[in-house]
Amino acid sequence: MSERARAAVRTFAGSAVGLGILGALALATGQPWLFPSLGPTVMLHVERPQDPSSAPRNTLIGHAVALLAGYGLLAATGLADTPSVLQVGVSTERIIAAAGSVAVTALVLILLDANHAPAGATTLLVSLGLLRTPTQLLVVAAAVALLTMLDWLFNRATGRPMPAWRSRTGGDRDD
C-alpha cells in the first residue's frame, strides 16, 4: 500500500473513531458532544499531528479562547438570552458579536502563540447563539478535551506521535 493510501486510511479511521465516540456520547446524553468545529480539529490531529496548530496546547487554548470570546461578545451585544441567528435572523448586534468574536479569538491566539484555526468555527457557534447555555459551553469544552485525548492516543497507537502538549517546532508564526 502506498504512503498516500496509508495516510488516507489512517485519517479515515482516526476521524471515524474520535467523532464516532463523541457522537455516541451526544446520542446518549442529548448534549452537544458533536459539533462542526470538531471536524477540522480531528482532521488536523490525524493528518498533521506534528503541526503546531495540532498540538494539544493549541487545540485546548484555541477552543477555550473561542468559547470565552464568543460568549463575551454574545453577552456584550445583549444577545445571550435571545434565540439563535437561525431562529431570528441576522441583526447588527449579531454581526458585531460574530465578527468581534472571531477577531478577538484570532488576536488572543496570535498573542498566546496558540494558533488553531478550527477555534474560529467554535466562536461563531457561540456568538451566533447556536451553543450558548453554560451546560452547552461546558460540554463543548469537554468534547474538545476528550477528542484531543482520543486523537493523541490514536496517533500514538498508529505510530504517528502527537506532542503531549506543545509541538517541538514551537509556534507557527514567522516572527
Side-chain angles (χ1 to χ4, degrees):
M1 182 182 296
S2 73
E3 180 54 37
R4 182 181 300 265
R6 280 191 295 277
V9 169
R10 187 174 44 246
T11 299
F12 171 86
S15 298
V17 167
L19 294 179
I21 290 170
L22 291 175
L25 278 170
L27 186 62
T29 65
Q31 294 296 322
W33 287 89
L34 193 59
F35 49 92
S37 50
L38 292 179
T41 296
V42 73
M43 290 175 71
L44 273 175
H45 287 169
V46 297
E47 288 178 13
R48 296 181 279 159
Q50 291 293 321
D51 189 281
S53 64
S54 298
R57 173 190 181 276
N58 290 31
T59 302
L60 298 173
I61 290 172
H63 288 282
V65 168
L67 290 169
L68 293 170
Y71 194 79
L73 269 290
L74 194 66
T77 55
L79 297 170
D81 295 320
T82 62
S84 81
V85 69
L86 296 178
Q87 295 168 300
V88 297
V90 175
S91 64
T92 301
E93 293 84 3
R94 193 66 74 178
I95 294 168
I96 292 168
S101 69
V102 173
V104 168
T105 299
L107 171 82
V108 172
L109 294 185
I110 289 170
L111 291 174
L112 295 176
D113 195 20
N115 183 43
H116 184 73
T122 297
T123 202
L124 279 174
L125 288 169
V126 178
S127 62
L128 294 174
L130 300 168
L131 298 169
R132 61 182 170 81
T133 69
T135 299
Q136 290 171 334
L137 300 179
L138 287 172
V139 170
V140 166
V144 169
L146 179 57
L147 181 66
T148 301
M149 182 190 72
L150 291 169
D151 292 344
W152 187 87
L153 291 169
F154 179 84
N155 280 318
R156 294 283 171 162
T158 59
R160 295 209 16 161
M162 184 174 169
W165 181 241
R166 186 175 188 143
S167 173
R168 285 192 186 114
T169 61
D172 51 353
R173 295 179 296 133
D174 292 332
D175 59 357

